[in-house]
Amino acid sequence: MTNSAPQNSPRIVVVGSINMDLVVRSARLPAPGETLIGNSLSEIPGGKGANQAVGAARLGADVSLIGRLGDDGFGDTLRRALVVEGIQLDGVERTRKCCSGVAIIGVEDSGQNCITVVPGANGRLMPADVQKQAQAIARVDVLLLQLEVPIPTVLAAMELARTNDVVTILDPAPAIRDYPPELLNVDVVCPNESEAALLTGIEITTTESAHRAAEKLQQLGARQVVITLGDKGAVFRDASGHTGHLTPFPVTAVDTTAAGDAFAAALGIRLAEGGSLQDAGRFACAAGAVAATRKGAQPGMPSREDVNELLN
Ligand code: RIB
């Protein structure tokens, strides 16, 4: 069965990666040089872009994805998983003689993970691919971006969105050492602590330091900021300088792999629906918390009902 969004749903375009996650679960993560016996190995659709697209679709948005798959079996499986979610894939092409993106993910019993990504076709997503989808970008409410595809492609998508008054939201993940400053020319940036520290040079150890980093991110160009703090919730700073702390939802994490992707998707949809940054941030914290209680990236993305249940 294919899901599709009702008319008048918020419209979201995601530009980003599509990966097959090869997930090994073990009691704890191995130390460097150590060999451990794991408990299970699973192939699970993932990739930050595709996860955000699935997250937004399950929350009720009309979603299009712009990305690239390889011409391998993983590409077929990943495409099918997105079709089932009702995601528009006109902007997802296959790259010949190229493998699809793969993420090797270790998850320990506490829910913590470590990830190595082999970009494959994601690395071939070019600014021209985004420009081909200019009309699709121009007619949406929100553009969601992350950094598992080439930075020039991310910047090209931002530029197109800006010229069409589309709200731009950047999840600056995975963290990179030298973020180009132009990346912060967005309506909302939603880093986690380590990404915020790399972007600002401010080490985040308390909510107070997170607030200072949020202010710095605004000085660096982001109109609005939400910094996620894992099990400590999040802090936000809106365009008028209004700040606050979003308290965490107490849940037992089993897999935090795509919690940040669920967060970004939920933030995007609530902002598209006209919510304030504070309201959208709280909705997003709930979505991230639900995702952390479930195994796997795309399978773990919550529905609207799941998020509302936690909020209530
Ligand atoms: O954010 C989680 C995602 O990061 C995983 O699904 C994996 O594919 C990596 O890209």
Side-chain angles (χ1 to χ4, degrees), residues 76-114:
D76 299 336
T77 309
L78 290 166
R79 191 167 211 292
R80 273 197 301 273
L82 295 164
V83 167
V84 167
E85 300 291 340
I87 296 165
Q88 264 287 336
L89 297 178
D90 293 351
V92 176
E93 289 188 30
R94 308 287 291 257
T95 304
R96 278 169 50 82
K97 298 191 182 155
C98 184
C99 58
S100 298
V102 170
I104 309 294
I105 305 185
V107 184
E108 65 174 22
D109 286 348
S110 73
Q112 274 307 337
N113 62 53
C114 62

Side-chain angles (χ1 to χ4, degrees), residues 19 21 46-48 51 103 105 115 117 148 257-258 261 297:
N19 293 335
D21 292 351
K48 293 185 191 307
N51 296 344
I105 305 185
I115 305 182
V117 175
E148 275 183 345
T257 301
D261 304 329

Side-chain angles (χ1 to χ4, degrees), residues 64-82:
S64 306
L65 176 62
I66 300 174
R68 271 196 177 268
L69 288 165
D71 60 356
D72 51 2
F74 281 165
D76 299 336
T77 309
L78 290 166
R79 191 167 211 292
R80 273 197 301 273
L82 295 164

Side-chain angles (χ1 to χ4, degrees), residues 170-206:
L170 173 69
D171 176 2
I176 53 177
R177 218 138 274 290
D178 293 304
Y179 281 100
E182 316 87 274
L183 275 178
L184 287 176
N185 187 5
V186 282
D187 293 300
V188 186
V189 66
C190 55
N192 65 15
E193 295 123 304
S194 52
E195 292 144 10
L198 282 167
L199 282 159
T200 61
I202 297 172
E203 200 194 336
I204 296 170
T205 48
T206 57

